Structures are given as structure tokens and as C-alpha cells.
Amino acid sequence: QVQLQESGGGSVQAGESLTLACSVSGATIDRSCVAWYRQGPGKQREGVAILASTGQSLYADSVKGRFTISRDNAKNTLFLQMNSLESDDTAIYYCAARPRGARLCSRTDFSVFEYRGQGTQVTVSS
């Protein structure tokens, strides 16, 4: 059974930083498409960033230059470094992954991800 567990969420002030982690068990993510999504209060779920098996990363325009997605293959863990946080970044953040070999890696379609975490809350106060 594949399980994803997010950690690192919390409450911060605008301008501060947080790093989210997503520990994966039951599958290896070193050559998988992985992603971070978020859903803010009253908003639709949004793809924040994806990291393809090729190493290519894509970001939502709203977080470009502020957020960085990465993975530690040795720890089988996905990260999201978030800098210069804004109140609009307030949301529940979810990590997601696809099995090795899956070809589609989408930042806009959460439904393609077979493996998903339960989410971690990030609250940014202005």
C-alpha cells in the first residue's frame, strides 16, 4: 500500500518561509511524476508545482520565483520550499505522486495522480 504523509505546515507571517515535506512509503518516487497541490478557503484546488521523472519542474504563475519543488531520493521524500509567503498562499497543501513509468505529469489535473496525501494546513497572516 502506497502512503504519502505531509508535514511542515503551520502558521506564519507574510514574508516568512516554510518547507513542506512529503514522506512516501510503499513506492519509490525517484523516477516518478510528483506534485504539490493546494486548496485555499473558497477556492478551487490548484496545482502549485510538479516535478517530472525527467527532472523538469513546472510552477503556477502565482508561486514562480518563490516556491521550489524537490525530492530526496535517498529519503524517498518530496519537498516544497516556500519563501516570501503571502496571505493568498493560505491553503491546505497536498502532495501527490504517480507510479514509475506513468507518462502523464499534469499540474492542472489532480485526478491523474494515483497516490495522494491527506494534506497539511498552511496559514499566512498579513
Side-chain angles (χ1 to χ4, degrees), residues 17-30:
S17 299
L18 275 177
T19 299
L20 304 182
C22 174
S23 177
V24 181
S25 60
T28 304
I29 63 167
D30 59 341

Side-chain angles (χ1 to χ4, degrees), residues 47-52 55-60 63-64 69 105-107:
V48 176
I50 60 169
L51 180 59
Q56 181 184 16
S57 57
L58 291 173
Y59 296 89
V63 307
K64 277 180 184 176
I69 187 171
C105 195
S106 173
R107 190 184 63 77

Side-chain angles (χ1 to χ4, degrees), residues 32-118:
S32 299
C33 167
V34 292
W36 286 95
Y37 279 71
R38 68 184 180 186
Q39 188 161 15
K43 298 180 181 179
Q44 290 190 331
R45 185 157 42 208
E46 173 190 28
V48 176
I50 60 169
L51 180 59
S53 58
T54 59
Q56 181 184 16
S57 57
L58 291 173
Y59 296 89
D61 287 343
S62 58
V63 307
K64 277 180 184 176
R66 300 189 298 122
F67 289 13
T68 303
I69 187 171
S70 63
R71 64 179 133 208
D72 184 327
N73 292 335
K75 295 182 178 178
N76 212 37
T77 299
L78 175 65
F79 297 96
L80 184 68
Q81 173 69 42
M82 306 185 293
N83 299 326
S84 302
L85 282 161
E86 304 169 353
S87 56
D88 283 348
D89 295 321
T90 295
I92 299 174
Y93 285 72
Y94 303 88
C95 60
R98 299 208 67 200
R100 269 185 180 180
R103 305 189 71 170
L104 178 61
C105 195
S106 173
R107 190 184 63 77
T108 58
D109 188 357
F110 190 62
S111 69
V112 305
F113 289 90
E114 290 85 346
Y115 313 133
R116 307 169 191 176
Q118 294 299 306

